[in-house]
């Protein structure tokens, strides 16, 4: 089997991911950076907030990038940050009321953008795409564990 970059899955995933993220940034552009958007999205999914460490894992951000994004979002009044009840050294991060309102205002734009992105796909193809991406993610995690 010959190596062909144009069919190498890690390359295709990186390329398409970068292009999709760059194009999608127009939805929240001017308001947030990509790391900030990822943090806000994860916080919007939970009631009780997350620790900084949990946000790093969930949003797939390194500690310094996450810390900078959290600090910037706190300055914008999108987040509230407090000491964690269980571990006073950890920071508990939550969406503020302002952050929730801003996020809720962006969601229709985000969903509209996704609809435009997938406009040429059938409903079956959309479901298949999501399924395949989830399966790739799980398989990559399994392979990573097996090689540790």
């Amino acid at each position: 089997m010959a190596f062909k970059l144009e069919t190498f899955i890690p390359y295709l995933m990186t390329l398409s991911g970068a292009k999709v993220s760059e194009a999608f940034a127009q939805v929240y552009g001017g308001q947030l950076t990509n790391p900030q958007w990822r943090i806000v999205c994860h916080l919007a999914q939970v009631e009780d907030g997350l620790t900084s460490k949990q946000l790093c894992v969930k949003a797939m951000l390194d500690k310094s990038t996450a810390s900078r994004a959290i600090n910037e979002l706190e300055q914008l009044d999108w987040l509230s940050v407090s000491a964690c009840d269980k571990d006073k050294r950890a920071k508990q991060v939550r969406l503020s009321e302002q952050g929730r309102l801003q996020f809720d205002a962006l969601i229709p734009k985000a969903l509209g953008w996704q609809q435009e992105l997938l406009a040429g796909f059938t409903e079956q193809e959309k479901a298949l795409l999501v399924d395949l991406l989830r399966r790739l993610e799980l398989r990559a995690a399994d392979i990573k564990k097996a090689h540790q």
Side-chain angles (χ1 to χ4, degrees):
M1 179 189 312
F3 176 80
K4 293 182 182 178
L5 186 60
E6 63 273 7
T7 60
F8 189 58
I9 297 299
Y11 172 74
L12 290 171
M13 296 292 294
T14 300
L15 184 66
S16 62
K19 287 187 177 196
V20 168
S21 290
E22 181 182 322
F24 178 66
Q26 295 171 337
V27 171
Y28 56 80
Q31 287 184 278
L32 301 172
T33 64
N34 185 286
Q36 290 170 342
W37 169 253
R38 287 160 58 183
I39 285 171
V40 167
C41 285
H42 283 285
L43 289 173
Q45 303 299 307
V46 296
E47 292 281 329
D48 297 331
L50 297 167
T51 64
S52 299
K53 186 175 182 177
Q54 289 170 320
L55 280 168
C56 287
V57 172
K58 288 183 177 294
M60 294 189 66
L61 297 169
D62 63 71
K63 187 177 177 180
S64 64
T65 301
S67 179
R68 184 171 46 256
I70 290 167
N71 289 336
E72 292 164 351
L73 286 163
E74 187 178 21
Q75 290 174 3
L76 293 170
D77 193 31
W78 282 53
L79 303 181
S80 65
V81 180
S82 58
C84 186
D85 292 338
K86 296 177 183 175
D87 180 356
K88 298 299 180 195
R89 296 170 296 165
K91 291 182 179 180
Q92 188 76 18
V93 184
R94 292 178 178 82
L95 276 184
S96 66
E97 186 176 328
Q98 169 74 7
R100 173 58 69 181
L101 290 171
Q102 293 288 342
F103 176 77
D104 289 347
L106 284 171
I107 290 306
K109 295 176 188 175
L111 293 174
W113 187 90
Q114 179 172 282
Q115 187 174 6
E116 184 179 353
L117 176 69
L118 300 175
F121 293 76
T122 67
E123 292 304 316
Q124 287 177 317
E125 288 171 330
K126 292 175 193 178
L128 180 60
L129 177 61
V130 170
D131 181 56
L132 290 173
L133 289 171
R134 286 185 175 154
R135 287 171 51 195
L136 273 173
E137 178 188 358
L138 292 172
R139 184 68 185 129
D142 289 346
I143 291 171
K144 181 180 176 184
K145 283 181 190 174
H147 290 110
Q148 285 181 340

